[in-house]
Amino acid sequence: MILIIGGRYQGKLDFARERFALSDGDILVCDEGSGVLDFDKRCLAYLDRYALGRVRAGEEPVNALKANMERLSDAVLITTDISCGVVPVDPVVRAWRDACGRMNNCLARQADEVWRLFCGIPQRLK
Amino acid sequence: MSTFISGGCKNGKSFFAQRIAKAGGTPLYYIATMIPRDGEDEERIRRHRNERAGWGFETLECGRDILACLSRADPRGAFLLDSVTALLSNEMFDASGVHPRAAQKIACELAEFVRRAPNTVLVSDFIYSDAAIYDPLTEAYRAGLAHIDRRLARCCDNVLEVVSGQIIVHKGGVPL
């Protein structure tokens, strides 16, 4: 499993496409409406947006990922780091931020490689 | 040698940027990008001027169309541009409205600036890792600044992130 993190607009997906030779068909671009993830895709992009939809629905986003860890063993997972701002006033956004932290930590523990993108430049953390 | 610096606010970016620029030789120029809009801005500018006093900077006022200031300076000198963030807000939002292509324009101009004045230090702000859900205009501003940052990260010799006064080298090294 490969995990790619970084701030918004830092070039995470561009890096993933190039480094892991992904084509459009390999990539699931998640949004808030992605209730069920397609674990047959090689790359799940923007798990933070998936997480926002799940939090709005009252679910814990990391659960579906934990339940499918084996199917993710060769996956490239992309998630935005949203952890560095002020504690959000909105309770849903606050819950989303916490859920993303739990999800990212869980994925980073399982991942064989963890990459962080900064202004388009990759750095391998694990 | 050109250096791009980013990181969170109040982490020490400007301090390192000043040191790196000063190590780059003379003449030494500070490009003042802030266009004051109220008393608070004027106070901030006054504080920054005091912080720079004694460093030997000549100040070039240039809040937009950044290549223009090269006609008032020796391009072989050392330049400090602090900050890219202010430059984008000046050009993207002004009295005549919102200019959605400002980031593309600035990215090209700054790449050209670094080509003509290779001894330049540029400072930006890392505004990409909070959990706020922004309005489309703020989101466009964040995307625009990231576009400029990534262009500068490609064309500068050094790319540095400053965290709590410590430097993480993402490209090149620390030219001190």
Side-chain angles (χ1 to χ4, degrees):
Chain A
M1 185 199 295
I2 313 289
L3 178 66
I4 301 170
I5 65 162
R8 193 98 165 83
Y9 311 117
Q10 297 304 297
K12 299 181 291 298
L13 187 52
D14 290 346
F15 167 73
R17 280 181 200 277
E18 193 181 315
R19 171 104 192 172
F20 304 105
L22 301 171
S23 63
D24 286 346
D26 296 325
I27 302 167
L28 173 68
V29 178
C30 303
D31 59 31
E32 287 182 50
S34 307
V36 179
L37 295 172
D38 180 354
F39 290 101
D40 291 328
K41 294 283 188 182
R42 282 183 61 206
C43 174
L44 306 182
Y46 307 124
L47 287 170
D48 51 294
R49 296 183 203 164
Y50 160 77
L52 180 56
R54 293 303 83 211
V55 168
R56 286 198 200 280
E59 293 173 20
E60 171 60 44
V62 77
N63 289 347
L65 296 162
K66 276 185 180 163
N68 288 278
M69 251 344 147
E70 277 181 25
R71 296 177 73 188
L72 290 171
S73 59
D74 293 321
V76 176
L77 306 176
I78 298 176
T79 182
T80 305
D81 179 8
I82 57 160
S83 64
C84 297
V86 176
V87 176
V89 174
D90 182 325
V92 172
V93 179
R94 206 157 57 231
W96 171 48
R97 188 171 86 143
D98 287 356
C100 281
R102 288 191 292 273
M103 178 178 76
N104 295 353
N105 281 326
C106 170
L107 294 174
R109 271 196 303 275
Q110 298 290 326
D112 304 291
E113 299 177 17
V114 178
W115 293 83
R116 178 187 181 232
L117 269 285
F118 179 83
C119 300
I121 300 174
Q123 178 185 26
R124 189 167 172 174
L125 303 181
K126 180 180 178 183
Chain B
M1 178 170 266
S2 55
T3 302
F4 174 74
I5 300 177
S6 190
C9 87
K10 297 294 158 211
N11 276 266
K13 300 187 297 293
S14 293
F15 175 69
F16 279 111
Q18 285 174 210
R19 284 182 58 196
I20 291 168
K22 191 169 172 62
T26 54
L28 179 60
Y29 300 103
Y30 179 89
I31 305 172
T33 48
M34 183 180 260
I35 299 172
R37 292 168 204 271
D38 55 22
E40 188 181 324
D41 286 349
E42 279 159 13
E43 171 60 24
R44 184 175 290 118
I45 287 170
R46 198 186 57 74
R47 207 167 51 235
H48 284 183
R49 275 211 190 109
N50 284 345
E51 282 166 14
R52 287 198 308 278
W55 284 73
F57 282 100
E58 179 182 333
T59 299
L60 299 169
E61 304 273 352
C62 194
R64 54 185 310 135
D65 302 315
I66 198 68
L67 290 168
C69 72
L70 281 179
S71 62
R72 293 179 268 141
D74 177 356
R76 290 164 301 182
F79 292 81
L80 170 54
L81 192 157
D82 190 352
S83 64
V84 177
T85 320
L87 189 61
L88 178 60
S89 98
N90 294 343
E91 296 212 28
M92 192 164 167
F93 311 109
D94 65 18
S96 69
V98 178
H99 305 281
R101 299 289 300 168
Q104 282 70 20
K105 169 185 179 282
I106 292 170
C108 291
E109 288 177 355
L110 287 177
E112 176 63 13
F113 190 101
V114 170
R115 199 185 64 77
R116 287 199 220 163
N119 218 354
T120 295
V121 181
L122 306 103
V123 180
S124 191
D125 289 274
F126 197 83
I127 55 169
Y128 313 109
S129 278
D130 56 359
I133 298 171
Y134 291 105
D135 59 281
L137 201 56
T138 308
E139 207 52 57
Y141 177 77
R142 293 212 300 167
L145 189 63
H147 174 79
I148 300 170
D149 290 351
R150 289 171 63 182
R151 179 73 174 270
L152 287 171
R154 279 204 307 277
C155 73
C156 286
D157 301 306
N158 308 306
V159 177
L160 311 177
E161 180 181 7
V162 180
V163 181
S164 300
Q166 312 303 307
I167 294 178
I168 301 170
V169 177
H170 289 280
K171 179 182 176 184
V174 184
L176 283 174

